Every structure is written in C-alpha cells, then in structure tokens.
Amino acid sequence: QVQLVESGGGLVQAGGSLRLSCAASGRIISSYVMGWYRQAPGRQRELVAAITTTDTTNYSDSVKGRFTISRDNAKNTVYLQMNSLKPEDTAVYYCNAHLRYYDSWGQGTQVTVSS
C-alpha cells in the first residue's frame, strides 16, 4: 500500500503562488499514475492534474497554463506548482496514487485564495 501525505497549502492572495508536495511511503511511486484533486465546499471532488509513469501530464481546463504537476521518483514525491491563483482555486487539495484497480488518497491540504 501507498501512504500519501500532502503539504504546502495555506492562505495566499489572488495572483500569488503555492507549491504543494505529496510525499509517498510504503511503495515506490514510479509505477503509479499520480494525480492532484480538489474539493471545494458543496462541490464534488475534481481532477486538477495528473502525471503518468512516462511523465505525460494532463490538466483540467480551469488550471491549464497556471498549474504544473511534476514527480521526483528519487524522492518518492509529487508536486503541484500553482501560479496566478484565483479565489475559485480555494479548496482542499488531495493527492492520489492510482495503479489498475488500486487507489490511495492523502488526507488533503487546504488552499485558500483571498481576493
């Protein structure tokens, strides 16, 4: 099993930047598709960005051009660089590890963007 711990969330003004980290343990993540999801109050959890085992990336339209997902397999860590943040980016951000029928989730980290 993979255990995931997110960090790096916080309060930032609109236009600012944050970098989220997701540290994995228990398994090496190089074989997993890694993703960042977010959930705002009253809304469903949505995919923000994902990165495959060959470093192909995918982004939701709402963050394309502003967010960058990356992975460091040597550190067993996935990152989400978030630039030009908007109030609508406010949510709890979750890290996900996916392999075939297996999914593991972190506990989430709060990101709040003030206007």
Side-chain angles (χ1 to χ4, degrees):
Q1 290 186 347
V2 179
Q3 291 79 45
L4 304 172
V5 178
E6 303 96 334
S7 61
L11 174 64
V12 64
Q13 287 188 332
S17 298
L18 284 173
R19 188 175 83 152
L20 305 183
S21 298
C22 172
S25 60
R27 290 286 189 272
I28 298 174
I29 63 169
S30 57
S31 299
Y32 292 78
V33 175
M34 301 300 296
W36 285 98
Y37 290 72
R38 67 186 181 188
Q39 188 167 19
R43 303 189 66 175
Q44 288 189 333
R45 190 174 297 190
E46 62 174 355
L47 175 66
V48 174
I51 185 166
T52 70
T53 57
T54 56
D55 288 345
T56 299
T57 57
N58 182 46
Y59 298 93
S60 68
D61 288 343
S62 62
V63 307
K64 203 170 293 183
R66 300 188 297 122
F67 290 11
T68 303
I69 188 172
S70 61
R71 63 195 301 160
D72 186 335
N73 290 332
K75 295 183 178 180
N76 227 29
T77 301
V78 178
Y79 304 98
L80 184 68
Q81 178 67 43
M82 306 186 294
N83 298 328
S84 302
L85 282 161
K86 304 175 181 180
E88 51 263 44
D89 294 318
T90 295
V92 178
Y93 283 71
Y94 297 90
C95 182
N96 170 266
H98 175 76
L99 178 61
R100 298 188 184 95
Y101 303 105
Y102 174 81
D103 279 284
S104 179
W105 295 90
Q107 83 289 348
T109 185
Q110 176 71 46
V111 172
T112 303
V113 184
S114 63
S115 57

